[in-house]
Amino acid sequence: MALDKNGIAKRIAQELQDRWYVNLGIGIPTLVANHIPEEISVDFQSENGILGMGPFPFEGEEDADLINAGKQTITAVPGAVYFDSATSFAMIRGQHVQLTVLGAMEVSENGDIANWKIPGKMVKGMGGAMDLVASADNIIVAMMHTNKRGESKLLKQCSLPLTGVGCVKKIVTNLAVLDVTKEGFKLIERAPGVSVEEIKKATEGKLIIEGDIPEMNI
Amino acid sequence: MINKVVASAEEACKEIQSGMTIMLGGFGLCGIPENCISELVKLKVNNLTCISNNAGVDDFGLGFLLQHRQIKKMVSSYVGENDEFERQMLSGELEVDLIPQGSLAERCRAAGAGIPAFYTPAGYGTEVGEGKEVRVFDGKPHILEEALTADYAIVKAWKGDKTGNLIFKGTARNFNPAMAMAGEITIAEVEELVEPGELDPNQIHIPGIFIQKIFKGHSYEKRIEQRTTRKKD
């Protein structure tokens, strides 16, 4: 069965390593924080200016001066630190943040990503996405494999305006885990009960299948 | 110490004129200069170019200035959550320049630091990079981004002293320090205004040298844009 959003987040959480600083985008990526293995410690960076972001506050304890990049009220964990936007993006551009997880509308087989603009529709802006994808060493895209019309989001070439070029390293969808390699999308794992055929059908870009593809262990 | 205190938002903003470029600190509605925004509405100045990460919501923050059609151009990284903004943008009344958030912050910081331009990888290969000089460093292409200046920068801090030293609270710091450095004239509004010496020099976030006018703001609403909570077990 294809994964739901929480399933995608849970699988991505397995990619996190001890002592990593991690930036989570809005949407599915935010859910990753709920599935961190107990044996590792990671710190979450939110680009509006906090390292050591904690869970949502208890009702009645919201602080207007403490939000994340999605403008949601949050808390800070012990050891947290606040800083200004220029310092925040120094952390990001300077590759001090080990992993960025973000959503996408399209990813191409060479790792281009489009996630900020649909021509003809209201353009809200790229926020910090272009800085994040241009700089992060390790970028995982969390998204559904196909769009609402059933069309593949893993393409030969992105059709939408790009956010960054050649930057995505790994994709976790409701159907599969894929690495972005020089040769194309390399299938690493299948969602439980999802066949290689189904993944092939849902992938427009070049898909590399080597040997038996294991199911995700989640 | 040099005394930068003015009595009110009215006195701080009285020389702001139509057509000026103004930077405003804040991220979403967090850390925005509420008092000065209200004052700009009262002043009825228009044709403003506003440099601010976001554009407020319909009835708060920069949304007030949009309602009164005082903004000619917005320079921002993200402008969702505002219907009036969308209407003015789609009808062509409002010019919008979208900039990657890190480049926006660094372009402000650079202006304040005397750096006219810098190279960044953000936006290379996208429409943001179109027409900009490209240079490869360490095998990676970068684009040239220029410093952003403004006639006025208006920032909001938690505490300040009479000489303009500022301390921010939580994530309300965001764009305020970089913009404070970039303004030709920088106005700081603070929740608490104290005598020089009352703030620990070790704890000050922005030195007063970047501030020209400071006043104690009042009636902060500090509206929350997305109230997210969890239940106690």
Side-chain angles (χ1 to χ4, degrees):
Chain A
M1 215 181 80
L3 300 176
D4 61 8
K5 289 178 178 179
N6 260 304
I8 296 173
K10 207 169 165 185
R11 177 60 190 82
I12 289 173
Q14 295 174 2
E15 298 293 319
L16 271 51
Q17 291 181 22
D18 194 28
R19 305 171 75 87
W20 270 9
Y21 291 107
V22 179
N23 181 293
L24 300 176
I26 296 164
I28 301 173
T30 306
L31 302 172
V32 173
N34 301 333
H35 302 284
I36 306 304
E38 267 180 31
E39 62 278 13
I40 68 168
S41 58
V42 295
D43 270 346
F44 292 109
Q45 198 251 21
S46 195
E47 64 268 24
N48 60 313
I50 176 173
L51 201 57
M53 176 170 53
F56 294 149
F58 291 120
E59 275 176 35
E61 293 176 11
E62 310 92 305
D63 179 353
D65 290 329
L66 186 45
I67 63 169
N68 63 17
K71 288 130 189 164
Q72 298 171 313
T73 46
I74 53 161
T75 55
V77 300
V81 57
Y82 307 118
F83 36 84
D84 71 281
S85 300
T87 305
S88 179
F89 283 91
M91 293 175 191
I92 290 164
R93 258 188 263 98
Q95 303 194 331
H96 307 282
V97 174
Q98 277 80 19
L99 173 67
T100 290
V101 183
L102 76 176
M105 299 172 190
E106 296 176 346
V107 178
S108 73
E109 61 190 32
N110 66 334
D112 295 352
I113 176 171
N115 72 352
W116 76 284
K117 182 175 182 181
I118 303 175
K121 287 205 176 161
M122 169 64 186
V123 182
K124 293 190 168 183
M126 66 294 279
M130 283 194 184
D131 311 271
L132 281 158
V133 301
S135 308
D137 249 344
N138 194 359
I139 298 173
I140 301 180
V141 164
M143 66 177 189
M144 304 310 267
H145 211 99
T146 54
N147 64 23
K148 283 175 189 150
R149 294 182 301 279
E151 299 156 345
S152 181
K153 295 169 74 171
L154 289 84
L155 306 172
K156 285 191 195 321
Q157 216 175 0
C158 293
S159 65
L160 296 169
L162 296 181
T163 309
V165 293
C167 50
V168 177
K169 303 287 191 298
K170 193 180 273 290
I171 307 165
V172 179
T173 75
N174 53 328
L175 304 182
V177 178
L178 308 104
D179 280 347
V180 179
T181 69
K182 279 187 188 128
E183 288 75 39
F185 299 117
K186 185 174 180 194
L187 186 56
I188 304 295
E189 292 173 13
R190 298 172 289 121
V194 172
S195 70
V196 170
E197 271 317 301
E198 283 172 77
I199 296 164
K200 261 191 193 166
K201 230 185 272 173
T203 308
E204 188 225 81
K206 188 175 177 198
L207 187 65
I208 300 160
I209 302 160
E210 284 174 4
D212 281 342
I213 307 298
E215 274 191 3
M216 297 179 200
N217 181 19
I218 57 169
Chain B
M1 302 296 286
I2 304 169
N3 189 337
K4 315 269 179 71
V5 176
V6 295
S8 60
E10 190 181 349
E11 199 185 329
C13 296
K14 67 183 180 194
E15 281 154 1
I16 296 181
Q17 290 165 19
S18 293
M20 280 186 167
T21 296
I22 303 177
M23 284 178 180
L24 298 108
F27 187 102
L29 303 177
C30 183
I32 59 173
E34 295 183 22
N35 282 234
C36 284
I37 292 172
S38 300
E39 182 58 28
L40 291 174
V41 172
K42 273 190 221 148
L43 277 173
K44 296 193 167 70
V45 285
N46 55 29
N47 276 314
L48 299 173
T49 295
C50 290
I51 304 173
S52 175
N53 188 53
N54 312 94
V57 293
D58 274 317
D59 59 346
F60 200 61
L62 285 182
F64 281 139
L65 292 175
L66 286 164
Q67 266 179 21
H68 294 88
R69 294 188 175 65
Q70 290 172 271
I71 303 178
K72 175 186 71 175
K73 180 178 178 183
M74 274 302 309
V75 180
S76 304
S77 86
Y78 189 84
V79 293
E81 10 282 354
N82 190 327
D83 291 338
E84 179 58 18
F85 183 98
E86 185 169 347
R87 194 197 63 71
Q88 291 185 21
M89 181 173 158
L90 294 175
S91 70
E93 290 166 61
L94 179 68
E95 215 180 308
V96 180
D97 190 3
L98 294 168
I99 297 179
Q101 196 175 121
S103 298
L104 178 60
E106 192 64 16
R107 288 174 71 180
C108 296
R109 199 201 68 86
I115 308 278
F118 58 91
Y119 290 97
T120 175
Y124 170 76
T126 75
E127 37 187 82
V128 167
E130 281 171 20
K132 288 178 183 158
E133 186 187 324
V134 175
R135 234 180 113 175
V136 176
F137 295 94
D138 249 348
K140 188 171 173 168
H142 293 70
I143 59 173
L144 188 70
E145 290 282 13
E146 291 182 12
L148 273 174
T149 54
D151 298 304
Y152 276 82
I154 306 178
V155 302
K156 151 80 185 12
W158 178 33
K159 295 179 183 178
D161 68 19
K162 290 182 170 175
T163 195
N165 295 315
L166 302 179
I167 294 177
F168 301 91
K169 181 167 165 268
T171 56
R173 195 178 321 181
N174 55 61
F175 280 83
N176 285 299
M179 288 181 171
M181 291 168 65
E184 186 73 34
I185 296 170
T186 295
I187 299 169
E189 55 172 87
V190 297
E191 289 177 56
E192 276 179 56
L193 183 61
V194 301
E195 293 297 326
E198 284 186 44
L199 299 179
D200 178 351
N202 289 301
Q203 306 295 331
I204 289 166
H205 296 135
I206 273 288
I209 192 168
F210 297 115
I211 309 299
Q212 279 68 48
K213 300 178 185 191
I214 186 166
F215 70 94
K216 184 183 179 307
H218 60 83
S219 318
Y220 282 103
E221 179 180 338
K222 290 197 183 183
R223 195 184 294 184
I224 290 174
E225 210 165 325
Q226 306 280 345
R227 188 178 297 274
T228 45
T229 58
R230 67 192 150 127
K231 289 220 159 31
K232 279 185 181 157
D233 297 329

